[in-house]
């Protein structure tokens, strides 16, 4: 997750495990500190409000609680060892996994640097990405999973799915060596979490009444508020991944905004044509699709590429959402797989196209053609999806045997807020 210039050698040089320690750069430090705050803002309160508004009123607190608890859990696991196993030197196993030298950050003080920013800042910045990844999966099993099962699943998924994939791409692993491009998480986060959400939806089964009973969002004002926070926070997500306060971060921010806007309008116009009226839910969902799809490409492409990727995101994710729910009748409650998973796949493949200098991008590595790069992207996507499918399924099945995954039918009807937390989101309920 460092700035890519198009030259593979420079990409690797700037990766954290190979960065040459230098003097503290205060401008870069300030920007990454700001970006860290923005990315955490995406999860709490952004994603929390977005997801909370999308569920029924009897389950709103359960979703807010899940996002909040995941933030706390991942933070502790990140300190305990996940950060180290991704970014510390793994020695002979470096291509597969990092080392243990940074468990609990021994010897890391105010003067310790990663590149030209404090390692504490880099630690925090990367931690916010780890936090939002399992939080995204919440949308796949919303309104029916036990809180205890959710905690266990989130922690184990972070260790068994997020950790290895993140190391392979951002920690000096074998996918990075192959030249796979993922600037800010299209593969590491969106494909990984999107596939896991689909697996969770299939293992848990549909909510009672789905798909015959309408389950509309209970509070669209909350949804739009959360969506707006996601849009703003995403600038830290993508532009912050440059790890520099310069034109590279500026370009990443620009293409992120164009991707969001074009994805949003495209979804709105398709929905308008199909159903006669544009919906608020549609325009904000299109925005999220545009943001998720532009994420892997954001540090490699120009504005024209961003426009095409955003439009493509609106089209592909719209039809994927309807196919999953209406044709396959899979209750991925908040459309995590068709928006984030499919968007991540689409954006990651198109990164290999629009990163080419002839198409306005910053350029591919020497001797690498568009077809070569798209092939590497496809391999990284396939490996990530397969890994996430297998381990997400195993985690869920083991937890189901040990503690059970799902609340009872009566508890689901009553609502998770009162059943699991003895609280309600609204006083009149």
């Amino acid at each position: 997750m460092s700035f890519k210039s198009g030259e593979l050698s420079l990409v690797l040089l700037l990766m954290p495990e190979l960065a040459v320690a230098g003097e503290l750069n205060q401008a870069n430090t300030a920007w990454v500190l700001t970006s860290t705050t923005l990315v955490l803002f995406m999860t709490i309160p952004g994603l929390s409000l977005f997801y909370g508004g999308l569920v029924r009123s009897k389950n709103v607190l359960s979703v807010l609680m899940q996002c909040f608890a995941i933030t706390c859990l991942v933070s502790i696991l990140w300190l305990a060892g996940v950060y180290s196993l991704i970014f510390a030197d793994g020695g002979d196993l470096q291509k597969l996994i990092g080392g243990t030298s940074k468990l609990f950050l021994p010897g890391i003080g105010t003067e310790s640097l990663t590149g030209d920013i404090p390692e504490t800042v880099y630690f925090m910045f990367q931690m916010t990405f780890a936090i939002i990844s399992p939080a995204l999966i919440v949308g796949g099993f919303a309104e029916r999973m036990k809180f205890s099962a959710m905690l266990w699943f989130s922690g184990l998924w972070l260790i068994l799915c997020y950790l290895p994939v993140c190391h392979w791409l951002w920690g000096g692993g074998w996918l990075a060596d192959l030249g796979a491009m993922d600037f800010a998480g299209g593969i590491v986060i969106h494909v990984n979490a999107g596939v896991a959400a689909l697996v969770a939806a299939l293992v848990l089964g549909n909510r009672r009444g789905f798909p015959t009973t309408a389950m509309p969002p209970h509070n669209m004002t909350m949804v739009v508020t959360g969506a707006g926070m996601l849009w703003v926070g995403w600038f830290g997500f993508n532009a912050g991944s440059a790890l520099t306060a310069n034109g590279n971060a500026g370009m990443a921010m620009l293409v992120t905004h164009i991707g969001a806007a074009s994805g949003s309008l495209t979804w709105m116009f398709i929905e308008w044509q199909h159903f006669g009226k544009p919906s608020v839910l549609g325009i904000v969902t299109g925005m999220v699709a545009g943001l998720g799809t532009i994420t892997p490409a954001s540090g490699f492409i120009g504005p024209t590429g961003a426009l095409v990727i955003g439009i493509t995101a609106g089209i592909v994710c719209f039809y994927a959402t309807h196919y999953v729910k209406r044709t396959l009748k899979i209750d991925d409650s908040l459309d995590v797989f068709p928006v984030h998973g499919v968007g991540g796949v689409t954006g990651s493949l198109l990164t290999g196209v629009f990163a080419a200098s002839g198409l306005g991008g910053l350029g591919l590595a020497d001797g690498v053609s568009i077809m070569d790069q798209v092939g590497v992207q496809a391999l990284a996507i396939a490996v990530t999806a397969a890994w996430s499918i297998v381990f997400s399924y195993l985690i869920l099945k083991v937890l189901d045997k040990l503690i059970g995954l799902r609340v009872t039918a009566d508890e689901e009807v009553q609502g998770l807020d009162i059943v699991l937390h003895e609280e309600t989101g609204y006083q009149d309920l």
Side-chain angles (χ1 to χ4, degrees), residues 258-259 262 293-294 302-315 350 354:
I258 297 300
S262 55
T293 306
I294 200 67
T304 302
L307 180 64
V308 176
I309 288 176
I311 292 171
T312 304
I315 297 170
L350 291 179
F354 290 102

Side-chain angles (χ1 to χ4, degrees), residues 25 41 56 60 76 385:
N25 186 305
F41 184 73
R56 290 168 289 181
V60 57
I76 302 305

